[in-house]
Amino acid sequence: MEINVKDARSKLSSLLDQVEDGGEVIIRRRGKEVARLVPPQGQDNLLPSLKDFRASIRISGDPLSNVVIRGREEERH
């Protein structure tokens, strides 16, 4: 991905997320390349990112705290 300095300032966090996922970002000033954001060498991710997995989880049913309270009340009777 290529981006100018002004946009890079406002989007730094998302750019770092892209690099963390293995991407490369080229930063340009007046059309000239001035920097590259790349993942560090020798630091391979041993485990895949769980970001997409976590985003796919949909919670349904009662909150766990309610289930525990209800279970405790049922044990008493």
Side-chain angles (χ1 to χ4, degrees):
M1 167 183 207
E2 295 186 17
I3 191 167
N4 65 38
V5 174
K6 181 181 177 183
D7 291 338
R9 282 187 195 133
S10 64
K11 298 178 183 179
L12 182 60
S13 182
S14 65
L15 295 175
L16 293 175
D17 288 341
Q18 289 179 18
V19 172
E20 189 174 35
D21 290 338
E24 179 177 302
V25 177
I26 298 170
I27 301 175
R28 295 187 176 274
R29 180 186 293 147
R30 295 184 202 107
K32 181 180 175 186
E33 182 178 329
V34 293
R36 250 177 225 258
L37 297 176
V38 296
Q41 292 181 348
Q43 290 188 341
D44 296 333
N45 288 338
L46 299 177
L47 299 173
S49 172
L50 296 177
K51 185 177 182 179
D52 294 333
F53 172 72
R54 289 180 182 136
S56 71
I57 296 174
R58 298 290 173 245
I59 298 173
S60 62
D62 292 337
L64 183 57
S65 58
N66 291 347
V67 173
V68 170
I69 291 169
R70 190 170 41 245
R72 289 178 180 168
E73 289 174 353
E74 289 173 1
E75 283 182 5
R76 292 183 199 156
H77 302 292

